[in-house]
Amino acid sequence: MKREIPLFLTAVIGAVMVLGFFMPHPWISVPADFLQQSAVIVVAFGYVLGGANLLRVHLEAISRRERDWPYRIVLVAGLLGTVSVGLFVDGPGFQAQGARTMWIYNNIYAPMNATMFSLLAFFIASAAFRAFRIRTIEAGLLAVAALVVMLGRVPLGDFLARPLTDHAWVPAWLREAPLGTIQQWIMDVPQNAAKRAILIGAAMGVMATGLRVILGIERAYLGGGE
Amino acid sequence: MSHLDASRGPARAGVALAILLSFAPRHAAAATAAPDTPAPPAAPAGLVFEDVPNDAGREMDLRWTLSPDDTSGGRRVTGYLLLRAATPGGPWAVVDSVGAGVHEHRDGTLHRDSSYFYRVAAVGPGGRTLAGAAAGPAIARAAWFNSTRGSVLAFMALFFLLVLYYMYMAQSGRKPFVRRLAGIDAIEEAIGRATEMGRPVLYVPGIQDIDEMQTVASLIILESVARITARYETPIRVPVAYPIPFTIAQEMVRSGHINAGRPETFDAKSVSFVSPEQFAYVASLTGIMLRDRPAAHLFLGSFYAESLMLAETGFSTGAIQVAGTANVHQLPFFVVACDYTLIGEELFAASAYLSGEARLVGGLKGADMLKVAIVVVVIVGCVLETMGVHGLTRWMQTQ
């Protein structure tokens, strides 16, 4: 029964959700919407489990003085402090303007978040350095395409390229914005074709996985044992 | 249409204000009517209604003929007011207002199977003029089937039939040939390397919740990965961003150990909940990479801006990295920074590859056959469009 009941529930709920996509009638759409909204309740319980796990892992590490344990104190203090301020100081208005939790969010969390995000610029630079090392024909094509696209997207690119294309034998449609036209073609045709092929494949992967789960063929998520 | 109107919020607010202003002083104005007060605009006409098809019975399309005074540049009509009542005699309630020159509107605030009557009034500086007769009864019916999604249903049915057929064939002993994917083979190789180095394996199931199918696929793969790590007695670390995937991931890792015949080696702390906040999650993962130095990083699931931050940090530690995602914009980052990348559908196929189970592998063949069908439809569609035949394109369009 440990396996049969979840399999049955998965099949029924999955079927209702699929039907909800094709049948707008309230007899189907209302239960489908209800099931979707009910997930919030399950998620709420999940956060309790997640929070308990977080405390358990880090408090144990602190008690054992594992490596870098002082940082774990900061994490636990941050978690408990923010939750306490939200629960006992701000109460239901914890998201209101001027609430202390909002102060914590705006002045501690948001700057740290922005700091992490800003690191992305440096990671892009280091990754681009590796990506554009031309060692094979494919890497060469990638580098040329990237160069054209990057230059073609700024006015300077066309300004620099125009003397090269300002000849009678160059077609008129290419003369005005040579790099801009080529980069647009790269983005619209080869890039878009590859992207759509990946998306179609991924969509079918989603459907196949969904079908396997709904039909109970894929049951690894039920866990081990009977 | 309402969705077009909604995109013109400020303009609509202005129209509504003008209409309200035109109504507000009506009684007072009647008492102190100035001789130069403009005349009310001529009435609009021909109000017709049509139940919106393929919906849940909550919408009605309304169309009318503009007032003769509603001319381009003219200022005698500032807008139209739509009124609704349950009976032809009223009482009438204002449903919505639209600007001058607009002759259609979608009323989306109806109760299914109820009767409604509509009137339309032209509004201008000189007052308002109602159209003569009420239109109705208009009854919004709920559709049982959204006919615009017929093509999706047809393809889905074909897909399901193909998948089920090839699963049946595979179970009957005719297991289809499946080309090996370097990225999937590399997963076991990476775990083997971690075992040799005596370091853990880091498994990252993406930063989306369980409602994202990539997360589901990743958690299914996790069971196979955990089975291999259990067999090699290599520790695995699975930091998870959301609580529901966290509980499932714990179950998957436990399941992997049980299926490997080593339930006693399962460590509940190997799966940990981190944070649904994107960059808090990144901070935690990069910390794990730099402190614990896992020898293998497996990024399988849905990723966004953090993909490159994780992969580049992992690259700097010298770990072997295998990534897989269906988020096309993140694929280039993974291709650059990781040793192997599962592209799009390969992520969803990985669990079948790793498990080798006949039914799951049979499903892959079914998906491939549907791809052939889609390619054929795309080619046929291109030919028909070129010939000026639009039937197939229309059939494929959904709402």
Side-chain angles (χ1 to χ4, degrees):
Chain A
M1 291 301 277
K2 188 190 164 190
R3 279 177 169 261
E4 279 74 15
I5 292 175
L7 279 174
F8 174 76
L9 287 174
T10 307
V12 170
I13 293 172
V16 169
M17 299 310 287
V18 171
L19 284 176
F21 180 76
F22 294 105
M23 301 175 74
H25 198 282
W27 283 15
I28 300 294
S29 61
V30 169
D33 290 345
F34 170 76
L35 287 171
Q36 217 158 13
Q37 286 160 8
S38 302
V40 177
I41 299 165
V42 182
V43 170
F45 282 104
Y47 272 100
V48 176
L49 289 174
N53 172 269
L54 203 71
L55 286 175
R56 185 183 148 199
V57 167
H58 291 285
L59 289 176
E60 273 186 33
I62 292 166
S63 68
R64 288 181 192 161
R65 299 287 193 275
E66 286 182 11
R67 196 155 62 105
D68 295 329
W69 63 272
Y71 297 120
R72 297 177 189 266
I73 294 178
V74 175
L75 187 145
V76 172
L79 172 69
L80 295 179
T82 309
V83 170
S84 302
V85 169
L87 275 177
F88 306 118
V89 180
D90 290 331
F94 71 98
Q95 284 183 309
Q97 193 76 24
R100 282 164 181 80
T101 39
M102 290 311 292
W103 186 90
I104 292 171
Y105 183 87
N106 290 328
N107 294 285
I108 299 175
Y109 172 76
M112 289 198 291
N113 209 31
T115 305
M116 285 298 295
F117 191 34
S118 62
L119 291 175
L120 189 58
F122 301 99
F123 286 123
I124 286 177
S126 63
F129 177 73
R130 270 204 313 284
F132 298 144
R133 274 185 302 186
I134 303 172
R135 288 178 172 171
T136 60
I137 293 172
E138 291 88 347
L141 286 173
L142 178 72
V144 170
L147 189 69
V148 170
V149 170
M150 283 191 286
L151 281 176
R153 296 216 153 195
V154 291
L156 181 67
D158 281 327
F159 176 76
L160 293 175
R162 213 166 285 144
L164 300 173
T165 56
D166 199 12
H167 303 290
W169 54 270
V170 176
W173 53 268
L174 195 59
R175 239 178 278 166
E176 182 58 30
L179 285 183
T181 308
I182 296 171
Q183 75 84 19
Q184 198 59 48
W185 181 85
I186 291 172
M187 294 303 287
D188 288 349
V189 182
Q191 188 270 151
N192 231 357
K195 196 165 83 178
R196 283 177 185 171
I198 293 171
L199 286 173
I200 289 172
M204 275 188 286
V206 168
M207 284 168 67
T209 307
L211 178 67
R212 293 202 299 255
V213 171
I214 288 172
L215 295 180
I217 295 161
E218 183 68 79
R219 51 180 71 183
Y221 67 94
L222 293 173
E226 291 300 322
Chain B
M1 294 293 175
S2 60
H3 63 279
L4 291 177
D5 295 337
S7 66
R8 294 190 290 180
R12 252 179 68 169
V15 171
L17 185 63
I19 289 166
L20 284 172
L21 289 173
S22 73
F23 279 125
R26 196 150 55 99
H27 301 294
T32 59
D36 57 346
T37 301
L47 177 64
V48 291
F49 57 86
E50 186 186 2
D51 184 17
V52 174
N54 302 309
D55 75 338
R58 299 193 185 97
E59 295 180 317
M60 188 71 66
D61 275 339
L62 304 167
R63 286 184 194 82
W64 59 94
T65 306
L66 295 177
S67 160
D69 293 330
D70 188 357
T71 53
S72 178
R75 295 187 179 179
R76 291 195 63 194
V77 176
T78 53
Y80 294 91
L81 207 58
L82 290 149
L83 302 106
R84 192 176 72 195
T87 60
W92 296 94
V94 176
V95 178
D96 214 335
S97 58
V98 296
V102 178
H103 60 92
E104 59 184 13
H105 181 70
R106 178 167 286 183
D107 181 7
T109 56
L110 304 180
H111 291 289
R112 180 168 52 99
D113 294 334
S114 298
S115 296
Y116 295 96
F117 293 84
Y118 286 98
R119 294 185 83 176
V120 61
V123 180
R128 64 173 179 171
T129 311
L130 274 165
I139 303 171
R141 309 266 188 211
W144 279 103
F145 178 69
N146 185 344
S147 59
T148 65
R149 293 179 178 173
S151 55
V152 181
L153 182 65
F155 275 96
M156 204 173 84
L158 177 66
F159 177 67
F160 284 8
L161 286 173
L162 285 169
V163 169
L164 293 174
Y165 171 73
Y166 283 106
M167 280 180 182
Y168 171 76
M169 295 292 280
Q171 274 187 309
S172 312
R174 278 186 277 180
K175 194 172 169 182
F177 167 75
V178 179
R179 178 174 61 85
R180 295 304 302 178
L181 291 173
I184 294 172
D185 289 338
I187 291 176
E188 189 154 0
E189 183 192 323
I191 297 169
R193 186 172 170 224
T195 308
E196 285 168 8
M197 297 174 77
R199 289 198 204 153
V201 171
L202 178 66
Y203 189 97
V204 185
I207 61 149
Q208 291 283 290
D209 208 342
I210 198 67
D211 56 350
E212 168 61 52
M213 200 50 96
Q214 293 183 66
T215 309
V216 175
S218 178
L219 292 172
I220 292 168
I221 297 167
L222 175 59
E223 196 270 340
S224 300
V225 170
R227 201 181 330 138
I228 300 169
T229 57
R231 210 164 54 221
Y232 292 169
E233 295 184 9
T234 303
I236 184 171
R237 297 203 57 176
V238 189
V240 189
Y242 280 90
I244 299 296
F246 155 70
T247 55
I248 298 173
Q250 259 191 340
E251 202 54 43
M252 300 307 248
V253 176
R254 188 202 312 272
S255 173
H257 281 75
I258 291 169
N259 292 335
R262 291 201 171 92
E264 73 283 355
T265 57
F266 170 66
D267 177 11
K269 283 191 294 176
S270 61
V271 183
S272 56
F273 171 70
V274 179
S275 167
E277 291 294 332
Q278 187 179 22
F279 294 111
Y281 186 63
V282 173
S284 174
L285 260 64
T286 49
I288 292 170
M289 288 175 188
L290 295 173
R291 277 195 302 272
D292 300 345
R293 299 270 164 175
H297 298 156
L298 308 176
F299 307 113
L300 300 168
S302 177
F303 292 89
Y304 289 89
E306 74 290 342
S307 63
L308 189 62
M309 302 171 87
L310 296 177
E312 275 294 283
T313 308
F315 179 84
S316 70
T317 66
I320 185 167
Q321 303 198 107
V322 181
T325 186
N327 291 15
V328 280
H329 294 105
Q330 307 308 319
L331 279 169
F333 297 137
F334 279 143
V335 168
V336 166
C338 294
D339 299 285
Y340 298 94
T341 306
L342 300 175
I343 296 174
E345 63 192 302
E346 292 174 354
L347 173 69
F348 299 101
S351 68
Y353 276 85
L354 286 168
S355 71
E357 199 184 321
R359 287 189 303 177
L360 299 181
V361 175
L364 294 180
K365 179 82 173 171
D368 282 348
M369 294 309 292
L370 188 75
K371 267 176 251 168
V372 173
I374 287 176
V375 169
V376 170
V377 170
V378 168
I379 293 170
V380 171
C382 289
V383 172
L384 290 177
E385 278 293 313
T386 309
M387 293 164 64
V389 180
H390 308 296
L392 183 63
T393 310
R394 280 198 206 104
W395 183 64
M396 297 289 283
Q397 285 170 343
T398 60
Q399 283 177 8

